[in-house]
Every structure is written in C-alpha cells, then in structure tokens.
Amino acid sequence: MELKDYNACVKEWADALFRFALKCTGNEEDARDVVQNCFVVLWQKKEDVLPAKAKAFLFQIAYRQSVDIYRKYNRITHKEELEDYRQTEQPNTELKRLLERALAQIDEQSRALVLLKDYEGYRYDEIAKITELTEAQVKVYLHRARKKLKQYLVSVENVI
C-alpha cells in the first residue's frame, strides 16, 4: 500500500469506523481513539495490506479494540459519564433511545455483529473475516441477537 492508497482509506473509511466504534463503545473519546489506532496499525502494516482489503482490515481492528474497551468499562462502571454523554448528544427521538437501550441489553459480540450487518451493511462472509468466526456462527449469533432485541423491543414496558 502506498501513501495515496493510505490517504484514500483515511478519507473513505474514517467516518464509518467512527460510527461503528461509537456504537460499540458508547463513548466519543474512545471511538476517536479506536479510529486513530486503526489507522496507526494500517500504516504500520501497509506493506502487508492490499488496498482492496483495507476496509475489512480496519473494521477488524476496530472490532477488536471496541470489544477490549467495552470489557474494560464493564469492569469499571462509569454510569455518571454515560449519563452526561447521553445528555450532551443531539436530541434523540424516543425510538432511537429505545434502540440504543435494546442494543445495550445484548453482549458485546452480538452488538458488534448487529452493528456490522444492520448499520454498516456488511455481508456475512465479510463479518466472518472481521470477527474471526465462521459464516455459520455469524448467522446463528445474529439470529439470536435479533431475537433478544425483538423480545426487548416488544415488551410492554418499552412501548412508546
């Protein structure tokens, strides 16, 4: 990968990586760190990564780092920071908040799979490469995650 290819990757994928990392981590600063680290690793591995494979490479790194951050925050709970973050966000609709609460109910792997498939539009085979699961596992885990999301969304206490 040459410098022009690297710059093209930054321009093309930075926003999508940020959205993905933000949804996974729930924290804007962490998401920025994840994106920056992704591009640092891409630069370090530029000799090994083909430009056509850069997107999958970047999202794989973002996935792993987001999971690491999520696990770290599960050990150290920062509820006040999360509340402050949600209050400073742009005004959300009730439906968007309900979807965020629903995503918070599932484990980090399930959430990442749902975000990769339904928010970012990846195919099953691409998700399998990013998460290092088999395509069959991706389909099964996504099915289970969507089932949990559906149960949460249709429960009586969540009716808008």
Side-chain angles (χ1 to χ4, degrees):
M1 175 179 292
E2 295 180 18
L3 181 60
K4 68 179 178 95
D5 297 323
Y6 176 81
N7 288 335
C9 286
V10 171
K11 187 175 183 177
E12 189 169 352
W13 301 116
D15 290 338
L17 278 171
F18 178 76
R19 283 192 312 271
F20 175 70
L22 182 61
K23 292 285 185 185
C24 286
T25 63
N27 183 303
E28 201 170 313
E29 290 299 317
D30 289 337
R32 284 189 191 120
D33 290 342
V34 167
V35 172
Q36 184 174 356
N37 290 337
C38 288
F39 287 112
V40 167
V41 171
L42 178 62
W43 182 253
Q44 292 170 344
K45 305 272 186 183
K46 68 182 183 265
E47 301 300 322
D48 302 328
V49 178
L50 298 173
K53 302 287 184 181
K55 178 182 174 185
F57 181 80
L58 288 167
F59 274 89
Q60 184 176 34
I61 295 166
Y63 168 75
R64 289 180 181 158
Q65 290 185 3
S66 296
V67 168
D68 289 345
I69 288 170
Y70 180 81
R71 287 178 181 157
K72 179 179 83 173
Y73 279 134
N74 270 349
R75 290 185 211 120
I76 306 168
T77 307
H78 296 285
K79 290 185 179 181
E80 297 82 21
E81 288 179 17
L82 265 157
E83 292 299 321
D84 290 343
Y85 170 73
R86 288 188 176 147
Q87 290 172 1
T88 59
E89 274 187 298
Q90 296 176 355
N92 290 327
T93 63
E94 286 295 317
L95 182 58
K96 187 174 179 182
R97 282 193 292 251
L98 179 61
L99 288 172
E100 288 174 358
R101 285 194 312 262
L103 284 171
Q105 300 298 314
I106 59 178
D107 64 278
E108 70 269 4
Q109 182 181 43
S110 298
R111 180 174 32 263
L113 292 173
V114 168
L115 291 172
L116 286 169
K117 180 67 176 157
D118 298 330
Y119 281 92
E120 297 298 331
Y122 279 96
R123 296 186 321 262
Y124 292 114
D125 61 322
E126 293 173 321
I127 296 170
K129 287 178 186 173
I130 290 169
T131 59
E132 296 181 343
L133 298 169
T134 66
E135 196 171 328
Q137 287 174 314
V138 169
K139 290 177 182 179
V140 169
Y141 294 160
L142 260 174
H143 174 73
R144 291 177 185 164
R146 288 176 176 154
K147 222 170 140 178
K148 288 179 187 176
L149 288 172
K150 180 180 176 184
Q151 287 173 346
Y152 181 81
L153 290 172
V154 298
S155 65
V156 177
E157 62 269 5
N158 292 318
V159 176
I160 298 175

